[in-house]
Amino acid sequence: MTALFERHRATLENALEAAASRGYWSAYPEVPSGRIYGETAKDDGLAAYEARLGKAFDLPGHPAGTTVGAEVSPYGPALGITYPAASAETLVAASAAAGPRWAAASPETRTGICLEILARLNAMSFEMANAVMHTTGQAFAMAFQAGGPHAQDRGLEAVAYAYAEMTRTPAGATWTKPQGKAAPIVLEKHWRVVPRGVALVIGCNTFPTWNSYPGLFASLATGNTVVVKPHPAAILPLALTVAVARQVLAEEGFPADIVLLAAAPGAEITQTLVRHPAVAIVDYTGSNAFGAWVRANAGDAATYTEEAGVNSIVIGATGDFAGMCANIAFSLSLYSGQMCTAPQDIFVPRSGIETDEGRKSFDDVAAGIAAAVDALLTDPARAAGICGAIANPATLARIALARPLGRVVRDSAPVEGLDGARTATPLILAVDAAETDAHEEERFGPIAFVVAVDDARDGVERAARLAEEKGAITAALYETDEAAILAAADRFAAAGVNLSVNLTGGIYVNQSAAFSDFHVTGANPAGNASLTDTAFVAGRFRVAMWRRPLAA
Amino acid sequence: MTALFERHRATLENALEAAASRGYWSAYPEVPSGRIYGETAKDDGLAAYEARLGKAFDLPGHPAGTTVGAEVSPYGPALGITYPAASAETLVAASAAAGPRWAAASPETRTGICLEILARLNAMSFEMANAVMHTTGQAFAMAFQAGGPHAQDRGLEAVAYAYAEMTRTPAGATWTKPQGKAAPIVLEKHWRVVPRGVALVIGCNTFPTWNSYPGLFASLATGNTVVVKPHPAAILPLALTVAVARQVLAEEGFPADIVLLAAAPGAEITQTLVRHPAVAIVDYTGSNAFGAWVRANAGDAATYTEEAGVNSIVIGATGDFAGMCANIAFSLSLYSGQMCTAPQDIFVPRSGIETDEGRKSFDDVAAGIAAAVDALLTDPARAAGICGAIANPATLARIALARPLGRVVRDSAPVEGLDGARTATPLILAVDAAETDAHEEERFGPIAFVVAVDDARDGVERAARLAEEKGAITAALYETDEAAILAAADRFAAAGVNLSVNLTGGIYVNQSAAFSDFHVTGANPAGNASLTDTAFVAGRFRVAMWRRPLAA
C-alpha cells in the first residue's frame, strides 16, 4: 500500500526541506516546454481539452441525479460540457460512507496517493492550461503556470506540511515512570491520526486550482474525504482534478467517492454544504461578503478562508524610476488586475519623490506608471499574453463605474486582436486622499488609483490601516531610506501584510512562490488562513491514543 | 533580553525532546518533599497561604474599579480574600495597550519569561497547594501535584510547542530563482511572528491551574496579551499565577498588564469578554452548555475548549480481578469523581465475565468494585487523602438526585473525620442498558453506574457512541482477547477517546501525563482542542514577511 509513497518519497523529502529552509524550490517545471513535458505535450493537451467540449464529462461511479454545466470561455465560445450533479445530502452521505476506509489508511498510504495524484496532474498540465485559460480568462502561459505547476507546487506544499504534522507524534512509545526503589510503571502507548470527517473545498473563478489545491490536498492527506465545490464558471479545472483523484483512489483499492464534485450552480447547495453538521472542514476562496457568511455559518467546522482586500503600493523614493514604473505596470496589467495579489492603490507624496532621474512630481509619477503600461501593452500579442481576458462580466461593468471616481491618468480599453473575448487594460485614476475615499473600497479588476498623500509615512499608515480594516494580501514599497524601510516592514507586519520592497526586475508583488512565500497571513480581513503553514494543516486531524501496561 | 532564555534553555530542550519521543519526563518534581523543595518549604507555603487570608490580594498596578472575592474552602472556612476587579472594557483596553511591546519581543525573550514564570511558580508549589486545596477541595497531596508540578509541566509543554512553532520558519532566507542563462533573481526574505491580539483564558473550579496553564502559556509565549478569568470559587490559584507573571514581566521591563486578572464574578463579564472584538483567542474549561455558548459567540476568535463528557469503562474479561476492582475503585474515589477524566459508566456483560478467579456474574463484578471502594476508604485519614472535599454544593445535591436511578450497590457517605468539610464517597448504582438511559447523562461527581450490556462488544459500542454523542475524555477496557482489544482501540479512536487497557497497578485511567498523554483529543464533544498538540499553538500567531532584491 505504500509503493506510491516510496515512488514519490524524494519529492516529499525535497518539499519538506524547501519548506523548512524557504529558499527557491519547485517540484513541477513551470516552463511549458516540449523538452520537459514531451514534444507532443502541447498539441496533445489541446486535443484532450477540445475532445471534452460539447460532451458530458465522465466521472465513473460519481453520484448523479442531474447534469449541469454552462461554462463560457471569456475568450468567447461556450464549452458545452455537462457534469454529473447530486444534492448536497447525497454528496455528504457518499463522502461520509467512504470515510472509514480512508481514515484507516496510514499517513504514508494517503500521502503516496496524494503525491501520485499531483504527479498525474503535472503530466496533464497542458490540458489543464487550456481548461484554466477558457474558464478564468488567463492567458495561456499564465494558465499553464498558475493552473498547472504552481498549483501543483501549492498542493505538494500542503501534503508536505500535512505529512510532517501527521508524523510528528510517534506511532508508539514506551513510558517508564520511576517509582523510587520499587519497580517502575511501564506503559506501552500507541497513537494514531483521526481525521475530522467530510471536508468541503469551495473554489473561485479566477484561480480554480491554485487556490483550491492547498485545502484539497491538506484535507485529503490527513484522512478526510473531500467534496469539491467549483465556481460554476470554472468547473472544468476542478472536474479534471477530481477525475484524476478518483482514478488513483480506485486503482489503489479505495472508494472513488473519497473525492467528490459538487457541480450544481448557485449559492444554495454551497450554503447547505457549509451548514451540514457532517462537514467538519471548510476551505473557501472568494468574496469577503460570502466569506463572512461561511465563517458565521460553518458551526464547529474548521474554516480556512482566503477572501479579498485592497492591496497597496507606497512610493517614497526610488533609485530606478524607469524600473519601478515598468515593474508596477506589469503588476497592474498581469491578468488584468484579477489576481488577489494585484495592487489597487499607489500612494504617492503630494509633493513628489526623489528618484535617480531627479525629483518627480506626483503627476510625473502617475504619468510614468501610465506610460509604462502603455509601453508594455503596445504590441497586441504581448498585451493579450499579459492581460488575458476578463473572467466575469461584472468586472467590465465595474471599470465603467470606477471611471468617474478620479482623474483618468490612463483609460482602460479592450485588448486588440482578441476578437470575441471580454478584455480590458488597466484604468488608472488619480485622486487625493484628502478629498476622497473612493480608493478605499475594493474594486476588483484592472482598476488602479494613484493616491496623493502627505508623505511616504502617511502612505504607509494609510495602506496599513486599509489592510487592517478591509484586508490586504500584498503591499509594496519603494524607498531608499533604510530606517523608513524597516519602519514600514514593522507597520505592515503589524497589519498582517506581506511586503515587497524596491522590486524593479523580473519579480512582481503579485507573485507568491510555494515553499518560500506564505500566501495570505491570516492576520487581517483578507483571510483567516495562510497557504501553507502549520496552522493550515494541524487542525485537520486529531490524535487518539491507547495505552496499557507493557507485558513483562 | 534573552538571559532568562539561556537560564532555562536546558529545560526547554528537554521538554521538546520529551514531547517528540513521548516517553516519561517531568521538569517539576511531583513529590512534595523537603529534600527537593527545601526543608521549610511545606511550612513556609502554609504560612504564605495563611498570610493571604482575610486580606486584599496585592496586584501592584493592576486596573481596579472595585474589589471582589467570596471564596469559601470546601473544607469549611471562608478565605476572606478580595481581589482588584475592573470592567471587561477596562481590562481589554489595558491588555491591548500592552500588546505592541510584547509583540515586538523576540520568541526567545518571550519564551524565557514564560519559563521564568513557571520556575517561580514551581518554587511556590506548597503555597499553591494550599490555595488549590482550599478552592477546589482537592486533598493536599493532589492539590500539590495537580495544582503545582503537573500544572507547571502542562504549562511548560505549551511553551515548548509554542517555541517550536514560532521558530519553524526561519527569520530570514535567500531565495535564488534560476533564469536559464540569465542572472538568477535573488531576494532576501524576512519573517516574523505576529500575535493575534488579546487572549482570554477562562478557568474552572476544580483544576484552576492545570486546565488554564496550557492556554495561558501558549498565548503568552506566542506574543498575545492574556486576560485570565478565574472561576469565582477558585480565584486565588490564578491570582497567584497572575501576580508572578506580572512581577517577572515588570522585572524584565515589560508592561505588567500583559497578564491581567478578570476577578469579577458572574457570567456577564465572561460573556462580554468572549464577545469583545479585540479578544482574538479564547481558552475555556467548563460545562458543555457554556462551552457551546463560547464556541457560538466568540466570533472569529480562535477557540480552544475542554468541556465535559461521560467516560466509560468496559469490562470484557480480566486476568486480575482483584487488581481490576482496586484500580477502578481508586479511579472512582480519587477527588470524589470530580476529575474530568473520572469514569462514570462501567459496562459489564449481563451474563458475567471470565476472570482469574473463575467466572464472575454481573452482580459479582458490581459487588467486587463496591467492596474495593469500601476497602480503599476504610481508614478515614486515607479516605480524606483520596476523596478530598466536594468543590460545589450542587455536586452533593446531584448525588441525592441520582440515588433513585438504579439499584444502589454502594451508597455515598460523608468522609469521616473531615468535620466542616463538604465530602462524599462514591455512589455506585447498577442499571441495565436495556431498561434505562440514566447513565447516558453526565452526572458530575462521585456517581457511577455499573451497566448491564449484552457483551463486551456491545459495551464498547455503547461507550463509543456515548463519547460521540455526549463527549468523553477517557475510556478504559478490561479484556484478555487481543483481537477484541485491537478492535476496541479502533472503535474508541474513531470516537476520539483515549483508551487505557487492563490497568491494575499504580496507574489510573484518570491520569494524563504531560509530554506523553495528550489530554482530550478534540474529536468529540468533550472539547475541541487537545493539550498540547501543534494545533493548540499554531493558530495563536501568524507569520508576516518582507522581501526585497538582495543587494549585490
Side-chain angles (χ1 to χ4, degrees):
Chain A
M1 294 296 279
T2 56
L4 292 178
F5 182 81
E6 294 305 329
R7 185 186 301 171
H8 300 293
R9 182 192 279 274
T11 302
L12 177 66
E13 286 172 356
N14 288 334
L16 286 165
E17 160 56 25
S21 66
R22 305 207 81 78
Y24 172 79
W25 186 73
S26 169
Y28 308 108
E30 69 177 7
V31 183
S33 157
R35 280 202 305 278
I36 297 166
Y37 285 94
E39 288 305 332
T40 62
K42 185 168 186 180
D43 293 342
D44 294 349
L46 180 60
Y49 166 73
E50 288 179 340
R52 296 194 186 270
L53 300 176
K55 298 205 184 78
F57 189 94
D58 193 25
L59 279 175
H62 194 284
T66 57
T67 57
V68 300
E71 291 158 296
V72 178
S73 171
Y75 292 93
L79 273 58
I81 308 175
T82 59
Y83 304 89
S87 70
E89 199 54 58
T90 298
L91 291 169
V92 171
S95 190
R101 289 284 310 285
W102 192 234
S106 71
E108 285 72 23
T109 296
R110 292 196 301 253
T111 299
I113 285 173
C114 287
L115 295 174
E116 175 66 16
I117 294 168
L118 285 166
R120 293 199 196 176
L121 287 168
N122 180 245
M124 60 190 277
S125 291
F126 277 100
E127 180 180 1
M128 186 64 82
N130 284 283
V132 169
M133 177 180 178
H134 288 291
T135 49
T136 68
Q138 290 174 25
F140 181 82
M142 185 184 190
F144 181 90
Q145 294 193 341
H150 291 178
Q152 295 146 19
D153 272 336
R154 283 289 180 193
L156 171 60
E157 184 183 51
V159 172
Y161 270 84
Y163 179 77
E165 285 318 306
M166 286 192 290
T167 54
R168 191 167 304 288
T169 298
T174 301
W175 185 82
T176 305
K177 182 175 181 179
Q179 299 292 299
K181 290 173 183 165
I185 297 171
V186 186
L187 298 179
E188 55 167 278
K189 300 189 179 187
H190 308 269
W191 291 272
R192 77 180 75 187
V193 166
V194 180
R196 291 184 71 131
V198 176
L200 172 66
V201 178
I202 304 171
C204 66
N205 189 357
T206 46
F207 290 90
T209 56
W210 197 97
N211 276 101
S212 297
Y213 281 7
L216 166 56
F217 283 99
S219 283
L220 196 60
T222 50
N224 305 282
T225 56
V226 182
V227 177
V228 179
K229 172 73 185 79
H231 189 281
I235 302 173
L236 182 57
L238 288 173
L240 290 168
T241 305
V242 168
V244 170
R246 290 173 62 87
Q247 183 172 346
V248 174
L249 286 162
E251 286 173 15
E252 295 298 307
F254 287 97
D257 287 354
I258 289 166
V259 180
L260 289 165
L261 186 73
E268 199 184 327
I269 185 172
T270 312
Q271 291 178 331
T272 306
L273 287 167
V274 168
R275 280 181 166 142
H276 200 292
V279 171
I281 302 172
V282 179
D283 284 274
Y284 166 79
T285 308
S287 70
N288 301 77
F290 197 69
W293 187 91
V294 168
R295 285 182 277 109
N297 287 275
D300 288 323
T303 306
Y304 307 89
T305 72
E306 179 189 326
E307 306 179 34
V310 182
N311 303 321
S312 299
I313 297 175
V314 179
I315 303 180
T318 178
D320 179 3
F321 184 72
M324 176 187 82
C325 290
N327 191 280
I328 294 173
F330 191 86
S331 285
L332 297 178
S333 303
L334 186 61
Y335 189 27
S336 292
Q338 297 170 98
M339 301 179 75
C340 56
T341 51
Q344 173 179 308
D345 291 347
I346 304 165
F347 293 98
V348 178
R350 210 169 276 119
S351 59
I353 60 165
E354 294 300 327
T355 81
D356 58 319
E357 301 178 10
R359 185 141 195 104
K360 298 278 185 181
S361 70
F362 174 85
D363 284 347
D364 292 340
V365 175
I369 294 168
V373 172
D374 288 340
L376 181 69
L377 305 181
T378 302
D379 175 56
R382 188 177 176 193
I386 292 169
C387 292
I390 301 291
N392 193 320
T395 302
L396 270 193
R398 200 175 295 117
I399 298 170
L401 291 169
R403 201 172 271 115
L405 296 173
R407 177 168 57 84
V408 175
V409 178
R410 183 191 184 280
D411 204 354
S412 175
V415 176
E416 284 177 53
L418 281 179
D419 297 338
R422 184 167 52 235
T423 63
T425 65
L427 169 70
I428 304 178
L429 301 168
V431 297
D432 191 307
E435 293 165 10
T436 182
D437 56 8
H439 57 285
E440 295 188 355
E441 190 180 313
E442 191 215 4
R443 299 179 193 276
F444 184 78
I447 302 165
F449 295 85
V450 185
V451 185
V453 291
D454 293 349
D455 52 28
R457 201 168 158 177
D458 182 35
V460 168
E461 183 56 31
R462 285 176 183 274
R465 251 190 248 161
L466 199 46
E468 288 166 343
E469 287 163 19
K470 302 285 179 68
I473 296 176
T474 62
L477 172 72
Y478 292 88
E479 182 55 78
T480 52
D481 178 68
E482 187 71 7
I485 291 172
L486 296 178
D490 286 350
R491 185 66 189 89
F492 282 114
V497 193
N498 292 321
L499 173 68
S500 297
V501 177
N502 293 336
L503 300 187
T504 54
I507 187 84
Y508 306 96
V509 66
N510 320 37
Q511 293 175 319
S512 173
F515 308 107
S516 184
D517 297 319
F518 295 104
H519 178 68
V520 187
T521 66
N524 69 47
N528 74 1
S530 184
L531 305 179
T532 291
D533 63 7
T534 306
F536 189 70
V537 300
R540 293 177 194 260
F541 66 92
R542 304 302 187 182
V543 170
M545 174 196 66
W546 71 277
R547 63 183 184 180
R548 64 175 163 187
L550 188 67
Chain B
M1 294 296 280
T2 57
L4 292 177
F5 183 81
E6 293 306 328
R7 183 185 303 171
H8 299 293
R9 182 192 279 275
T11 302
L12 177 67
E13 286 172 356
N14 288 334
L16 287 165
E17 159 58 23
S21 65
R22 305 207 80 77
Y24 171 79
W25 185 73
S26 169
Y28 308 108
E30 69 178 5
V31 183
S33 158
R35 281 203 303 277
I36 297 166
Y37 286 92
E39 289 305 331
T40 62
K42 186 169 185 180
D43 294 342
D44 294 349
L46 179 60
Y49 166 72
E50 289 180 340
R52 296 194 186 270
L53 300 177
K55 298 205 184 78
F57 190 94
D58 192 26
L59 278 175
H62 194 286
T66 56
T67 57
V68 299
E71 292 159 295
V72 178
S73 171
Y75 292 93
L79 273 58
I81 307 175
T82 59
Y83 304 89
S87 71
E89 199 53 60
T90 298
L91 291 169
V92 171
S95 191
R101 288 284 310 284
W102 191 234
S106 72
E108 285 71 23
T109 296
R110 292 195 301 252
T111 299
I113 286 174
C114 287
L115 295 173
E116 175 66 15
I117 295 168
L118 285 165
R120 294 198 196 177
L121 287 168
N122 180 245
M124 60 191 278
S125 291
F126 277 100
E127 179 179 2
M128 185 64 81
N130 285 283
V132 169
M133 178 179 178
H134 288 291
T135 49
T136 68
Q138 291 175 25
F140 181 81
M142 185 183 190
F144 181 90
Q145 293 194 340
H150 291 178
Q152 295 146 19
D153 272 336
R154 284 289 179 192
L156 171 59
E157 184 183 52
V159 172
Y161 269 85
Y163 179 77
E165 286 317 307
M166 285 192 290
T167 53
R168 191 167 305 289
T169 299
T174 301
W175 185 82
T176 305
K177 182 174 182 180
Q179 299 292 301
K181 290 175 185 164
I185 297 170
V186 186
L187 298 179
E188 56 168 278
K189 300 189 178 187
H190 308 269
W191 291 272
R192 77 180 78 187
V193 166
V194 181
R196 291 183 71 131
V198 177
L200 173 66
V201 177
I202 304 171
C204 65
N205 189 356
T206 46
F207 290 91
T209 57
W210 198 98
N211 276 102
S212 298
Y213 282 7
L216 166 56
F217 283 99
S219 284
L220 196 60
T222 51
N224 305 281
T225 55
V226 182
V227 177
V228 179
K229 172 72 184 80
H231 189 282
I235 302 173
L236 182 58
L238 288 172
L240 290 168
T241 306
V242 168
V244 169
R246 290 172 62 87
Q247 184 172 348
V248 174
L249 285 162
E251 286 173 14
E252 295 298 308
F254 287 96
D257 286 354
I258 290 166
V259 179
L260 290 165
L261 185 72
E268 199 184 327
I269 185 172
T270 313
Q271 291 178 330
T272 305
L273 288 167
V274 168
R275 280 181 165 143
H276 199 292
V279 171
I281 302 173
V282 179
D283 284 274
Y284 166 79
T285 308
S287 71
N288 300 78
F290 197 69
W293 186 92
V294 168
R295 284 182 277 108
N297 288 275
D300 288 323
T303 306
Y304 307 89
T305 72
E306 179 190 326
E307 305 180 34
V310 182
N311 302 320
S312 299
I313 297 174
V314 180
I315 303 179
T318 178
D320 180 1
F321 183 71
M324 175 187 82
C325 290
N327 191 280
I328 294 174
F330 191 85
S331 285
L332 297 179
S333 303
L334 186 61
Y335 189 25
S336 293
Q338 297 170 97
M339 300 178 75
C340 56
T341 51
Q344 173 178 309
D345 291 347
I346 305 165
F347 293 99
V348 178
R350 211 169 275 118
S351 58
I353 60 164
E354 294 299 328
T355 81
D356 58 319
E357 301 178 12
R359 184 138 197 109
K360 298 279 187 183
S361 71
F362 174 86
D363 285 348
D364 291 340
V365 175
I369 295 167
V373 173
D374 288 340
L376 182 68
L377 305 181
T378 301
D379 175 56
R382 188 177 175 193
I386 293 169
C387 293
I390 300 291
N392 193 320
T395 301
L396 270 194
R398 199 175 296 117
I399 298 171
L401 290 169
R403 202 172 270 114
L405 297 173
R407 177 168 56 83
V408 175
V409 178
R410 184 191 184 280
D411 205 355
S412 175
V415 176
E416 285 177 52
L418 282 178
D419 298 338
R422 186 166 51 232
T423 64
T425 66
L427 169 70
I428 303 179
L429 301 168
V431 297
D432 192 307
E435 293 165 10
T436 183
D437 57 6
H439 57 285
E440 295 188 353
E441 191 180 311
E442 191 215 4
R443 299 179 193 277
F444 184 78
I447 301 165
F449 295 84
V450 186
V451 186
V453 291
D454 293 348
D455 50 27
R457 201 167 156 177
D458 183 35
V460 168
E461 182 57 31
R462 286 176 184 273
R465 250 190 248 160
L466 199 47
E468 288 166 344
E469 287 164 17
K470 302 284 179 71
I473 295 175
T474 63
L477 173 72
Y478 291 89
E479 182 56 79
T480 52
D481 179 67
E482 187 71 9
I485 291 172
L486 296 177
D490 286 351
R491 186 66 188 89
F492 282 114
V497 193
N498 292 320
L499 174 67
S500 297
V501 178
N502 293 337
L503 299 186
T504 53
I507 187 85
Y508 306 95
V509 66
N510 319 39
Q511 293 175 318
S512 174
F515 308 107
S516 184
D517 297 318
F518 294 104
H519 178 67
V520 187
T521 65
N524 69 46
N528 75 2
S530 184
L531 306 178
T532 291
D533 62 8
T534 305
F536 188 72
V537 300
R540 293 178 194 259
F541 65 93
R542 304 301 188 183
V543 170
M545 175 195 66
W546 70 278
R547 63 183 184 182
R548 64 176 164 187
L550 189 68

